[in-house]
Amino acid sequence: QVQLVESGGGSVQTGGSLRLSCAASGDIRNINCVAWFRQAPGKEREGVASMNADGSNTRYGDSVKGRFTISQDGAKNLLYLQMNSLRPEDTAMYYCAARYRIWAGSCFSTTGQYYGIWGQGTQVTVSS
């Protein structure tokens, strides 16, 4: 069974940076999509970034383009989200997710649809 565990969240000031990590374990050979999502209290879950499991075809939500970068270390089964120029509106619980299928040629999902493997989340708080 595939398991995902996030880490690296914390509290930063506006303009600061954080790097989130997602450690994968189990048999991940058939995973084809990986992604990061976030959800703030009272708001819907939001797609942040995604890519094919081989690191190709990176995509980002409009609100984080140019500030966040999704990447991986395949040898260590780690997924990363580098978050720069953080803003208060980035405050949310951040989740990594994985799925087996690529749908419509893309791993990006606006709300997490089609993703069935999830980590427990890590909190990011950005103060002004």
Side-chain angles (χ1 to χ4, degrees):
Q1 181 177 353
V2 176
Q3 294 179 315
L4 305 175
V5 180
E6 301 96 333
S7 62
S11 298
V12 297
Q13 294 184 356
T14 297
S17 297
L18 284 173
R19 190 188 195 191
L20 307 183
S21 298
C22 175
S25 61
D27 187 357
I28 64 171
R29 290 174 293 179
N30 293 320
I31 296 293
N32 285 292
C33 289
V34 292
W36 288 95
F37 298 87
R38 66 187 183 187
Q39 188 166 26
K43 299 181 66 177
E44 293 185 339
R45 187 167 56 199
E46 176 186 11
V48 174
S50 69
M51 65 180 183
N52 292 15
D54 64 4
S56 66
N57 196 27
T58 57
R59 295 187 63 184
Y60 299 91
D62 289 342
S63 64
V64 306
K65 287 180 180 177
R67 300 188 297 120
F68 291 10
T69 303
I70 187 171
S71 63
Q72 66 168 28
D73 184 338
K76 298 181 179 179
N77 292 336
L78 288 173
L79 178 70
Y80 299 111
L81 184 68
Q82 180 66 47
M83 310 165 66
N84 298 326
S85 301
L86 285 163
R87 306 164 180 168
E89 53 263 41
D90 295 318
T91 295
M93 185 73 74
Y94 283 72
Y95 302 88
C96 61
R99 73 189 193 201
Y100 296 107
R101 293 282 303 277
I102 300 174
W103 295 96
S106 175
C107 293
F108 191 77
S109 171
T110 56
T111 61
Q113 60 266 39
Y114 309 122
Y115 279 91
I117 304 170
W118 295 83
Q120 83 290 348
T122 185
Q123 179 67 39
V124 172
T125 302
V126 185
S127 63
S128 59

